[in-house]
Amino acid sequence: MDHIVYLVRARIQAVALLCMLAFASLFSVDSLAANSIDGIRVWPAPENTRIVFDVKNKPDYKYFTLSNPDRLVIDFTDTKNSVPLNNLAANDPRVKLFRSSSSKEKTRLVLELSQSYQLTVFPLAPAGQYGNRLVIDLYDKNRSPKVVATPKENIGDIIIGIDAGHGGEDPGSIGSKGTYEKKVTLAIAKKLQKVINEEKGMKAVLIRSGDYYVDLNRRTSLARDKNVHFLVSIHADAFHTPGPSGASVWVVTQSRAESELSRWLVNREKKSELLGGGGGVIKTTADSNLALTLADMSKEHSLGVSFGVANNVIKELRKITKMHKSTPQNGNFAVLKSSDIPSILVETGFISNHAEEKNLTWSKHQQRLADAIHQGIKSHFLAHPLTGSYFASIGYKKHKVRSGESLSVLAERYNISMSKLKSINNLKTNSIRIGQTLKIPRTG
Ligand SMILES: [Zn+2]
């Protein structure tokens, strides 16, 4: 008995000693630190890597680079680091290794780099689910691809830019079962890319192809760099109550949002910049008046195309999902605003609605949505092919009206509705004249 008591007592003493040591270390060096690094995230993207530090308070930091080998050194003043660094760089092509050293005054983090990069470092104030952050972007130095001018007479494929909303630091809306909008949008975007690429005469490029954030301005400049003819931005809706459901299609306008819902949606998309970390971009969104003054004919033309596609996409979407709005909605979305490229924003459903949240994570439903968007875009560009595009050569055959042929006779012969035949040929009435050339859509 005595022996056991002694052992127990010894153990208690040992534990007490350990506790005291731990306690002492807690209150010696560390307790003096005013700030702490509580999280580190690494987001590799095709043209940059973003590294985000969660810090308890506004970060006080200095940084510099070293070469041979290339390194980035960041000193966080009066800060302790509690994040393990071992595996942070495992999946990143630009950072080879994170290491740190701490002293009373600071934590020094050293990032060993694969080469030298163009560097942006900026702090972000708390936004949404995030507290203070310090953001580091390592950009590839050759990241701006030269715009290849394509001759207007022969554009060949219609290039569709697909912008999966949100990504990386910016999860978008989060459903009650934990579904992230950024995941849903990327899944639909990839399915849409596949069906479009299977379509002769169309080609799709993804503006974002992985889980990383792309500045909203960068999204449109990427679309421009890739010679995109039409841009579709994929999102999933959310509202602060679970009631609203259904899909909607948005076209950008400069007018102020009218309904509470559209204000809510537009503000929510603006929040992306705060979450995703747009850096200097945030300021420029206040310049919508300037953008409006600079608006030109091409903008009006692009608005026409945008509405045309929007209507066709709605027509297809309503076959497979409930519509929240059955006509194109106007919104002042940053991702579409600065663009002279015709574009729509598709809200594929409400992630805040329980049934739709489930549907949106369902691969088969995502495929249906992708198919509907593809069909909508295709039918617009078949009916209104871009000059020099493949669709212009196959979209229509020509028919010269002969004696005895009426619109209804031709509609029946070519298996097309009267109204479709009229709209394709911009006919106001049912009368046609001999010798007139009509456009007849090819089937398939
Ligand atoms: Zn969104």
Side-chain angles (χ1 to χ4, degrees):
M1 277 302 256
D2 275 348
H3 188 62
I4 291 166
V5 168
Y6 173 76
L7 271 179
V8 169
R9 187 176 293 146
R11 205 187 224 153
I12 290 169
Q13 280 171 348
V15 169
L17 189 65
L18 280 173
C19 286
M20 279 171 67
L21 282 172
F23 201 67
S25 75
L26 199 66
F27 281 89
S28 59
V29 178
D30 293 349
S31 69
L32 297 175
N35 209 346
S36 60
I37 301 169
D38 302 325
I40 304 176
R41 289 178 295 280
V42 179
W43 302 103
E47 54 185 18
N48 74 302
T49 290
R50 168 161 287 189
I51 302 138
V52 182
F53 298 91
D54 287 319
V55 277
K56 196 171 75 191
N57 303 312
K58 204 172 164 204
D60 182 4
Y61 62 94
K62 286 193 193 83
Y63 65 93
F64 55 92
T65 54
L66 297 166
S67 51
N68 297 321
D70 289 304
R71 281 152 293 166
L72 167 63
V73 181
I74 314 142
D75 286 334
F76 289 86
T77 311
D78 208 4
T79 304
K80 71 176 169 125
N81 172 38
S82 57
V83 182
L85 304 174
N86 339 358
N87 286 320
L88 281 175
N91 298 315
D92 187 75
R94 297 178 186 85
V95 185
K96 292 198 284 193
L97 186 74
F98 282 79
R99 52 189 167 82
S100 75
S101 60
S102 298
S103 68
K104 252 183 179 174
E105 302 81 35
K106 69 185 180 218
T107 286
R108 164 166 289 187
L109 283 176
V110 181
L111 281 61
E112 294 184 9
L113 307 176
S114 301
Q115 57 186 77
S116 81
Y117 296 99
Q118 193 187 317
L119 191 66
T120 321
V121 182
F122 58 96
L124 283 172
Q129 62 267 50
Y130 296 116
N132 282 288
R133 287 173 290 172
L134 182 72
V135 179
I136 294 171
D137 281 327
L138 302 167
Y139 282 103
D140 295 343
K141 285 187 166 165
N142 56 350
R143 75 178 174 122
S144 268
K146 285 263 183 302
V147 176
V148 184
T150 324
K152 274 245 152 55
E153 321 74 77
N154 185 20
I155 58 171
D157 291 340
I158 300 173
I159 301 169
I160 309 297
I162 306 171
D163 169 51
H166 313 279
E169 281 285 286
D170 168 23
S173 305
I174 302 172
S176 65
K177 293 200 180 63
T179 306
Y180 281 15
E181 182 186 351
K182 67 173 182 179
K183 283 195 172 171
V184 171
T185 60
L186 186 61
I188 297 170
K190 285 184 169 171
K191 289 180 163 71
L192 179 58
Q193 182 193 32
K194 191 157 179 285
V195 285
I196 287 179
N197 281 340
E198 283 162 5
E199 179 78 54
K200 193 163 160 55
M202 288 175 100
K203 198 182 136 210
V205 291
L206 292 177
I207 303 298
R208 155 171 100 81
S209 56
D211 189 10
Y212 50 85
Y213 186 74
V214 182
D215 289 352
L216 296 185
N217 282 4
R218 186 72 188 143
R219 288 179 198 241
T220 45
S221 70
L222 278 173
R224 218 168 278 132
D225 289 349
K226 292 178 178 187
N227 295 317
V228 159
H229 298 114
F230 191 84
L231 181 64
V232 52
S233 191
I234 311 279
H235 285 259
D237 247 327
F239 201 55
H240 53 74
T241 60
S245 66
S248 49
V249 179
W250 294 72
V251 170
V252 70
T253 60
Q254 303 290 342
S255 64
R256 297 271 307 265
E258 284 134 33
S259 68
E260 188 212 350
L261 182 62
S262 56
R263 259 199 307 278
W264 167 272
L265 292 175
V266 168
N267 285 337
R268 193 167 49 78
E269 294 310 336
K270 272 185 192 146
K271 216 173 82 184
S272 285
E273 287 290 64
L274 298 173
L275 295 179
V281 180
I282 297 165
K283 284 181 246 98
T284 64
T285 55
D287 290 343
S288 64
N289 285 334
L290 180 66
L292 185 60
T293 330
L294 298 174
D296 57 12
M297 295 291 284
S298 91
K299 199 137 201 167
E300 265 171 50
H301 164 77
S302 99
L303 199 60
V305 176
S306 303
F307 271 102
V309 176
N311 279 315
N312 279 289
V313 169
I314 287 172
K315 213 187 281 173
E316 297 296 328
L317 279 174
R318 66 191 320 161
K319 295 177 189 167
I320 57 131
T321 183
K322 186 193 158 186
M323 294 305 293
H324 182 67
K325 299 278 179 190
S326 54
T327 54
Q329 303 297 297
N330 302 326
N332 197 351
F333 291 105
V335 67
L336 306 179
K337 185 166 60 185
S338 54
S339 173
D340 45 356
I341 302 167
S343 47
I344 56 170
L345 186 146
V346 181
E347 296 275 9
T348 49
F350 277 79
I351 219 164
S352 51
N353 177 278
H354 302 319
E356 287 199 337
E357 179 184 6
K358 211 171 145 193
N359 268 346
L360 286 168
T361 59
W362 189 30
S363 174
K364 205 163 177 180
H365 185 68
Q366 293 171 349
Q367 188 63 54
R368 281 182 199 142
L369 290 162
D371 290 343
I373 296 167
H374 160 238
Q375 277 304 327
I377 297 172
K378 180 188 166 186
S379 51
H380 174 86
F381 284 108
L382 260 180
H384 307 275
L386 300 176
T387 313
S389 70
Y390 173 74
F391 279 4
S393 69
I394 61 110
Y396 298 101
K397 48 192 169 193
K398 286 174 180 157
H399 178 92
K400 209 172 205 177
V401 178
R402 285 187 292 258
S403 158
E405 287 176 344
S406 68
L407 205 60
S408 61
V409 165
L410 291 176
E412 204 178 325
R413 185 186 306 164
Y414 291 112
N415 194 21
I416 181 183
S417 72
M418 290 262 290
S419 58
K420 182 109 189 250
L421 198 52
K422 278 167 72 180
S423 85
I424 287 166
N425 287 285
N426 287 321
L427 301 175
K428 300 265 183 298
T429 69
N430 288 351
S431 62
I432 47 173
R433 56 186 164 70
I434 295 166
Q436 185 175 359
T437 301
L438 294 178
K439 289 194 281 187
I440 310 289
R442 288 174 206 271
T443 44

